[in-house]
Amino acid sequence: MVYPADEFYFIAGKTIPFREEYDGFPQLENGIGLTRLLWDDFKKIYEKMPASVPDKDFGIVTSELGAKALKPVISELKKIKGLNVISIPVINNFFGQTVNVTGLLTGQDIINHLHNYHGLP
């Protein structure tokens, strides 16, 4: 069986497959299916989250494709009153802008991006 990596789906603008299509996630260590697992696991815990919290602002540092994977999660988190969550996508200048997965971001690129970042209120 061939299992395309999650980034192929994002780049092609296609829907991430459902859990059953990953046949037990035999390539999970290579990041294949991580997005589906994140989304499914988040659904399970979201029901247990509070409806409101004391005002908090959070930024999640991620890659450009990571921001796409996190988009539905952040959208749901924003429904919690008092919680402001945003993704902070960082471009990978160290390895090149075509390398766009979070696991290959360097501290150097993250620090350089955050140094000039003013996106949180």
Side-chain angles (χ1 to χ4, degrees):
M1 226 17 172
V2 174
Y3 303 96
D6 295 1
E7 56 261 32
F8 285 101
Y9 291 100
F10 286 122
I11 291 169
K14 300 292 183 184
T15 304
I16 296 290
F18 289 103
R19 176 180 287 263
E20 299 76 27
E21 295 178 49
Y22 286 100
D23 298 321
F25 299 95
Q27 290 291 311
L28 192 60
E29 70 275 2
N30 293 323
I32 296 172
L34 280 175
T35 301
R36 173 51 57 198
L37 284 181
L38 170 69
W39 292 351
D40 289 354
D41 288 349
F42 180 76
K43 281 183 186 178
K44 291 176 191 174
I45 64 167
Y46 184 75
E47 298 168 357
K48 300 172 187 171
M49 294 180 133
S52 65
V53 296
D55 288 348
K56 292 287 180 188
D57 296 326
F58 289 96
I60 301 172
V61 174
T62 187
S63 65
E64 293 175 300
L65 288 181
K68 290 181 180 186
L70 289 172
K71 187 175 182 178
V73 172
I74 290 174
S75 178
E76 290 298 310
L77 289 174
K78 286 185 174 193
K79 293 178 183 177
I80 298 173
K81 184 179 178 190
L83 186 61
N84 178 37
V85 182
I86 62 168
S87 66
I88 304 171
V90 175
I91 295 172
N92 194 328
N93 291 310
F94 186 85
F95 289 113
Q97 294 183 12
T98 59
V99 178
N100 47 24
V101 295
T102 306
L104 293 175
L105 284 176
T106 63
Q108 170 183 310
D109 283 336
I110 293 169
I111 289 168
N112 288 340
H113 184 80
L114 292 178
H115 181 72
N116 296 314
Y117 188 78
H118 303 287
L120 287 174

